[in-house]
Amino acid sequence: MANFKGHALPGSFFLLFGLWWSVKYPLQYLSQKVTKKSHKIYCFQRVDAIEGGIKIIFALIGMLAEQFVPDGPHLYLYSGENRDWVKLMNWQHTTMYLFYGLSGVVDVFTYVSQAVPQGLDRLMLSVAVFVEGCLFYYHVLHRPMLDQHIHSLLLIAVFSGACSVMLEVFLRDNIVLEMFRAGVTIVQGTWFWQIGVVLFQPWGGPMWDENDHSNIMFLTMCFFWHWAAAVAILAINYTLAYCCVQRCGRGSGEPYIGLGVRQQKCDTGSRAAFLNGSDEE
Amino acid sequence: MANFKGHALPGSFFLLFGLWWSVKYPLQYLSQKVTKKSHKIYCFQRVDAIEGGIKIIFALIGMLAEQFVPDGPHLYLYSGENRDWVKLMNWQHTTMYLFYGLSGVVDVFTYVSQAVPQGLDRLMLSVAVFVEGCLFYYHVLHRPMLDQHIHSLLLIAVFSGACSVMLEVFLRDNIVLEMFRAGVTIVQGTWFWQIGVVLFQPWGGPMWDENDHSNIMFLTMCFFWHWAAAVAILAINYTLAYCCVQRCGRGSGEPYIGLGVRQQKCDTGSRAAFLNGSDEE
Amino acid sequence: MANFKGHALPGSFFLLFGLWWSVKYPLQYLSQKVTKKSHKIYCFQRVDAIEGGIKIIFALIGMLAEQFVPDGPHLYLYSGENRDWVKLMNWQHTTMYLFYGLSGVVDVFTYVSQAVPQGLDRLMLSVAVFVEGCLFYYHVLHRPMLDQHIHSLLLIAVFSGACSVMLEVFLRDNIVLEMFRAGVTIVQGTWFWQIGVVLFQPWGGPMWDENDHSNIMFLTMCFFWHWAAAVAILAINYTLAYCCVQRCGRGSGEPYIGLGVRQQKCDTGSRAAFLNGSDEE
Amino acid sequence: MANFKGHALPGSFFLLFGLWWSVKYPLQYLSQKVTKKSHKIYCFQRVDAIEGGIKIIFALIGMLAEQFVPDGPHLYLYSGENRDWVKLMNWQHTTMYLFYGLSGVVDVFTYVSQAVPQGLDRLMLSVAVFVEGCLFYYHVLHRPMLDQHIHSLLLIAVFSGACSVMLEVFLRDNIVLEMFRAGVTIVQGTWFWQIGVVLFQPWGGPMWDENDHSNIMFLTMCFFWHWAAAVAILAINYTLAYCCVQRCGRGSGEPYIGLGVRQQKCDTGSRAAFLNGSDEE
């Protein structure tokens, strides 16, 4: 939907997922240091499955919205009389949602059956993000300069996200990659809102001059302010997760810090062993 | 051959290989969990050799077809009288087939001799795909917009395939990469057919307007529908392979699921050990 | 600040850090071969924290300079009366400094708390460098040819630096990557000075002809001479570090060379073991 | 030197190195399976040092040739009277040779001193190749179409070579990467000759029409024929190395094949262990 709602809807979806990930992954990472893993892991796997379900629901909402808004195609792809395609913009957005839906389905199957190979869920997510990026790339080609630029900035977040998720196929449960994914997703969400606000003035106000170069310079900078904000959010949520886990740790009677330190140590060792081949050993 | 047959032929080759891989690799992966490896691996190696042979045959068919169709160059590269090159299009396609043939040869040698280093077959395949991509990139440069766009979409599948095969040089027998390769190959096959249908109307019908932007928007979207279809095919074939392996597993009297679970567990452990360096250990 | 000072300031920051890293990392690498690690590592961690602090200070200096120079925006972003943005150039530079400041903050936290996952500091640094690159890319788009070219050469150093730091997230304490980072940072520093000299003639002299192609050819070559100089500096500093460590080694009474050799040997073995999978084992 | 000699000289250097590597690395790889390593490795390290020396000599020859040919700059960079740069083309070529010389120096030091970290030689070589690529990229920008295209094809070989050498920093002694490097280097050498022949007709003959698109199509294809030829050369040299090593193996009285098989097996195991994390273990 080429209007404010059409950008606010996906923006909210991405924002929700980004914020949720920025809480979940720190919790998972920190709690694995304190308590028994086996049980933790299992319950976190269940969480992944629920996540998949929510993805599917969001994707369905998005697809239905794109199809059945008043000015939508209502599932008509080609109109016979005037021999032309119907509302391809909406159809392209539907396709984007479709792939996120597929990614959700794979998440659920990964939880249900032991036979699904690990990493397939990450691969499917990465493909979904990549598809979103490609479709955006092609469908902003013939737009006014400002419109094109503001979307091309989005592509930075989209493609760097796709790459980092692709890496997770091989470096699973790497907290750094997971935090990066969370951050990029938050940026994508907030930037969708920004696009909607800039292009469609939901609360009135003057149109932006589409050909004023200084507007483009401002938006470039603004995009990275969103990024800085996302970093701040990640830091806050990580700290909250840390405090909460530490309290539980105390609750279960074992001092966390000490454990943390030891953990950290051997953790360092192991990481060095697997990746560096440096002389540390 | 710049006609429907010239696209249907390679399309069928890619489709056959893609479908075959989407059955073979899940079987290989799942069966390695159930029965003794040593023997399995050996027979799968033989399958690789046969694959190589088929590659060679397909490549030969393709090269002969490109050379000896009525309007082909018949092995003439340069015509003296009008001092010009002869049918360079066909010669370029011949070159593409040539590299797939070389890749087949390397596959066979890898099976025949123990001295051929592992991964060389993957490298050669990756180079072949990459060469196909480069040649396509250069020889659609000066075409009408629609023609250029529909081929550039093909390049997405070609180059992402080349990259994933390149990764297999270092991450051999990684089921996720193998599934991805199968998927990309299926997409390439079906998309070759799509190109043929769009540009040459084998079954009549009106020409597509080469400069209508909405046609280009539709084809962009359509390309990713092919991708979604490929994902569905992979899912179905994987499930079939799973059922069939499970039946055999039962046949040989050991309950599969239990084994699957255990397998999965240690598998997770090992993968974590090799790649994550996370705290899971 | 689009003047000589505006390029000399960041240039000096990068130069200082590059030179410091070209001394620190060789010392760290070589000393780990000779003396007990545990203690060494700890004191080097403290050094990282101090580095972070200096980063923060430099970033603050840069941001204040960009904001409060006489022709700066003095924190005004949008001027109501002439309805336009104020000094966006300075604001963009401020944003660049901001991200380096954030990277410094993460460095400090990594030292303070054991709970911050390893590699996050490298990720943040990589993001900071990447952001600098993106902002440069966009804000030289509409400049004269020479200006654009001399900045685009800078981007080579910036983006290759961002990639290598990104790799350090996964290959931490890899001396080769660290030396590369030091080299790229030195090049960036000297090149900033070069840009200032070429575009603003601090010491008078004739303007460079902005559209003379041979000027552009010379600067392209000159950029790589800076690179060669950086390599020479790295070599010299590495040798100095080696001599100094060797003297300490002798001081503590164990012959270094012998140790070096043994170290090197097993080091080779281990690196081969973790990464090659070659037949060396 | 913008003439035939100026392309034949570097072409011959690359060709010599490519052919030498296509013999050396198979010998190294195969002999490590048969005889004791320790000694072999040592003598191969000495070979690396000699290689470095030859690199330095070649680089010096190249630099002197570029500087002191009759129409060369003779070390003059800027001429005062007509206030212009002198022969920048030759200076750029000198810069390319310079970096290959630096790479040779690092090779020698790596052999001389145990303190030079492993992988630094590969990094320096990768940088040298990358620098060559960048300089070529910039200095063919404003040429006729044919000239630009034939050089841009060279860039494919140059940059893929730079990437593979960069990988060798982390995956040292990986025979697949080494073979790829040898192949790419051979292609680069033969293609330099091709460029010289096409642009300067050393043996007379008509000029090539610089704007005939079919010439460009032919050269694109021709480039990949060079590549196919390089693959054939690699295959032949690998076979020769295999025969020669096998004879030695027999000479030293232990049957090679058997060993080869065993080697291969455990080799597979180990590689799987370090990289795949597949269920093979």
Side-chain angles (χ1 to χ4, degrees), chain A:
Chain A
M1 301 166 281
N3 57 30
F4 179 69
K5 286 206 198 65
H7 288 85
L9 188 69
S12 316
F13 291 162
F14 282 115
L15 201 50
L16 279 172
F17 262 93
L19 290 171
W20 159 236
W21 283 338
S22 70
V23 176
K24 170 191 161 198
Y25 288 118
L27 273 178
Q28 187 167 3
Y29 171 75
L30 293 166
S31 60
Q32 278 173 354
K33 291 183 167 177
V34 182
T35 61
K36 309 265 157 301
K37 254 171 266 17
S38 57
H39 164 263
K40 277 279 171 198
I41 282 179
Y42 178 73
C43 80
F44 274 114
Q45 279 177 348
R46 173 175 290 166
V47 170
D48 289 343
I50 297 166
E51 241 180 63
I54 295 169
K55 260 191 220 166
I56 298 172
I57 294 164
F58 280 3
L60 284 175
I61 295 171
M63 291 161 81
L64 294 175
E66 288 290 342
Q67 285 296 327
F68 297 107
V69 284
D71 66 341
H74 298 80
L75 298 180
Y76 287 98
L77 177 59
Y78 189 82
S79 75
E81 67 271 10
N82 52 11
R83 312 179 44 63
D84 200 3
W85 306 103
V86 181
K87 305 269 174 206
L88 283 175
M89 212 58 122
N90 298 48
W91 275 103
Q92 288 201 340
H93 297 141
T94 312
T95 311
M96 298 182 193
Y97 286 115
L98 170 66
F99 273 84
Y100 281 104
L102 286 175
S103 150
V105 173
V106 175
D107 290 357
V108 173
F109 279 149
T110 308
Y111 172 73
V112 171
S113 161
Q114 298 281 9
V116 180
Q118 257 206 348
L120 214 54
D121 49 352
R122 297 290 193 275
L123 178 69
M124 193 62 222
L125 179 57
S126 167
V127 169
V129 181
F130 177 75
V131 169
E132 184 201 352
C134 285
L135 282 170
F136 263 119
Y137 172 77
Y138 283 116
H139 94 219
V140 298
L141 272 183
H142 303 273
R143 303 278 195 83
M145 199 167 67
L146 182 77
D147 191 342
Q148 202 164 336
H149 182 72
I150 201 170
H151 279 93
S152 72
L153 286 168
L154 185 66
L155 292 185
I156 295 177
V158 171
F159 283 119
S160 53
C163 294
S164 77
V165 178
M166 183 60 74
L167 270 175
E168 283 188 68
V169 176
F170 309 109
L171 298 167
R172 201 183 179 78
D173 293 327
N174 180 314
I175 182 67
V176 177
L177 283 176
E178 289 166 336
M179 297 287 281
F180 184 75
R181 169 152 53 104
V184 167
T185 315
I186 292 172
V187 170
Q188 216 189 131
T190 55
W191 195 247
F192 261 115
W193 276 86
Q194 181 83 51
I195 294 176
V197 171
V198 169
L199 297 183
F200 305 105
Q201 288 81 15
W203 305 290
M207 284 292 296
W208 289 52
D209 178 354
E210 297 240 321
N211 302 311
D212 180 356
H213 183 61
S214 63
N215 281 339
I216 284 176
M217 277 182 72
F218 168 71
L219 285 169
T220 313
M221 183 170 56
C222 182
F223 175 71
F224 292 109
W225 290 352
H226 282 249
W227 212 316
V231 171
I233 294 171
L234 285 179
I236 293 161
N237 289 354
Y238 194 92
T239 319
L240 294 178
Y242 176 67
C243 301
C244 128
V245 168
Q246 205 171 8
R247 175 164 297 100
C248 307
R250 276 227 199 62
S252 67
E254 37 182 344
Y256 171 73
I257 284 304
L259 208 161
V261 177
R262 205 175 338 110
Q263 211 56 36
Q264 190 75 2
K265 278 263 171 52
C266 76
D267 168 16
T268 321
S270 58
R271 185 183 282 99
F274 302 125
L275 292 175
N276 293 0
S278 80
D279 312 358
E280 274 189 22
E281 300 74 74

Side-chain angles (χ1 to χ4, degrees), chain B residues 227-248:
Chain B
W227 212 317
V231 170
I233 294 171
L234 285 179
I236 293 162
N237 288 356
Y238 194 93
T239 319
L240 294 178
Y242 176 67
C243 302
C244 132
V245 168
Q246 204 171 10
R247 176 164 295 103
C248 308

Side-chain angles (χ1 to χ4, degrees), chain D residues 182-235:
Chain D
V184 167
T185 315
I186 292 171
V187 170
Q188 217 188 130
T190 56
W191 194 247
F192 261 115
W193 276 85
Q194 179 84 56
I195 294 175
V197 172
V198 169
L199 297 183
F200 306 104
Q201 290 82 13
W203 305 291
M207 285 290 297
W208 288 54
D209 177 355
E210 297 239 320
N211 302 311
D212 180 357
H213 182 60
S214 63
N215 281 338
I216 283 174
M217 276 182 72
F218 168 71
L219 285 169
T220 313
M221 182 169 58
C222 182
F223 175 70
F224 292 109
W225 290 353
H226 282 249
W227 212 318
V231 171
I233 293 169
L234 286 179

Side-chain angles (χ1 to χ4, degrees), chain A residues 114-117, chain B residues 27-37 238 245 254 256 259-261 263-264 267, chain D residues 279:
Chain A
Q114 298 281 9
V116 180
Chain B
L27 273 177
Q28 188 167 3
Y29 172 74
L30 293 166
S31 61
Q32 278 174 352
K33 290 181 168 177
V34 183
T35 62
K36 310 266 155 300
K37 253 169 272 16
Y238 194 93
V245 168
E254 37 182 343
Y256 173 73
L259 207 161
V261 177
Q263 209 59 33
Q264 189 74 5
D267 167 18
Chain D
D279 312 1

Side-chain angles (χ1 to χ4, degrees), chain B:
Chain B
M1 299 166 283
N3 58 30
F4 179 68
K5 285 206 198 65
H7 288 84
L9 189 69
S12 316
F13 292 161
F14 283 115
L15 200 50
L16 280 170
F17 262 92
L19 290 171
W20 160 238
W21 283 338
S22 71
V23 177
K24 170 191 161 197
Y25 288 117
L27 273 177
Q28 188 167 3
Y29 172 74
L30 293 166
S31 61
Q32 278 174 352
K33 290 181 168 177
V34 183
T35 62
K36 310 266 155 300
K37 253 169 272 16
S38 57
H39 164 264
K40 277 282 173 201
I41 282 178
Y42 178 73
C43 80
F44 274 115
Q45 281 177 345
R46 172 175 290 165
V47 170
D48 289 342
I50 297 166
E51 243 179 63
I54 295 169
K55 258 190 220 167
I56 298 171
I57 295 164
F58 280 4
L60 284 175
I61 295 171
M63 291 161 80
L64 295 174
E66 288 290 342
Q67 285 295 327
F68 297 108
V69 283
D71 66 343
H74 299 79
L75 299 179
Y76 287 99
L77 177 58
Y78 189 82
S79 75
E81 66 270 7
N82 51 12
R83 311 179 44 65
D84 200 4
W85 305 104
V86 182
K87 305 266 174 211
L88 282 175
M89 212 59 122
N90 297 48
W91 275 103
Q92 289 200 340
H93 296 140
T94 311
T95 310
M96 298 182 192
Y97 285 116
L98 170 66
F99 272 84
Y100 281 105
L102 285 175
S103 150
V105 172
V106 175
D107 290 357
V108 172
F109 278 149
T110 309
Y111 171 74
V112 171
S113 160
Q114 299 282 10
V116 180
Q118 256 206 350
L120 213 55
D121 50 352
R122 298 289 193 273
L123 177 70
M124 193 62 224
L125 180 56
S126 169
V127 168
V129 181
F130 178 75
V131 169
E132 183 201 352
C134 286
L135 281 170
F136 262 120
Y137 172 76
Y138 282 116
H139 93 217
V140 298
L141 273 182
H142 303 273
R143 304 278 197 82
M145 198 167 67
L146 182 77
D147 191 341
Q148 202 166 336
H149 182 72
I150 201 170
H151 279 95
S152 73
L153 287 168
L154 185 66
L155 291 185
I156 295 176
V158 171
F159 283 119
S160 52
C163 294
S164 77
V165 178
M166 183 61 73
L167 270 176
E168 284 187 68
V169 175
F170 310 107
L171 298 167
R172 202 185 178 75
D173 294 326
N174 181 313
I175 182 68
V176 177
L177 283 176
E178 289 165 337
M179 298 287 281
F180 184 75
R181 168 154 53 106
V184 167
T185 315
I186 293 171
V187 170
Q188 216 190 130
T190 55
W191 194 247
F192 261 115
W193 276 86
Q194 180 83 54
I195 294 176
V197 170
V198 169
L199 297 182
F200 306 105
Q201 289 82 14
W203 305 291
M207 284 291 297
W208 288 52
D209 177 356
E210 297 240 320
N211 302 312
D212 180 356
H213 182 61
S214 64
N215 281 339
I216 284 176
M217 277 182 70
F218 168 72
L219 285 169
T220 312
M221 182 169 58
C222 182
F223 175 71
F224 292 108
W225 291 353
H226 282 249
W227 212 317
V231 170
I233 294 171
L234 285 179
I236 293 162
N237 288 356
Y238 194 93
T239 319
L240 294 178
Y242 176 67
C243 302
C244 132
V245 168
Q246 204 171 10
R247 176 164 295 103
C248 308
R250 277 227 198 62
S252 67
E254 37 182 343
Y256 173 73
I257 282 306
L259 207 161
V261 177
R262 207 178 331 114
Q263 209 59 33
Q264 189 74 5
K265 280 263 171 55
C266 76
D267 167 18
T268 322
S270 58
R271 185 183 280 99
F274 303 125
L275 294 175
N276 293 2
S278 79
D279 312 358
E280 274 189 20
E281 300 74 73

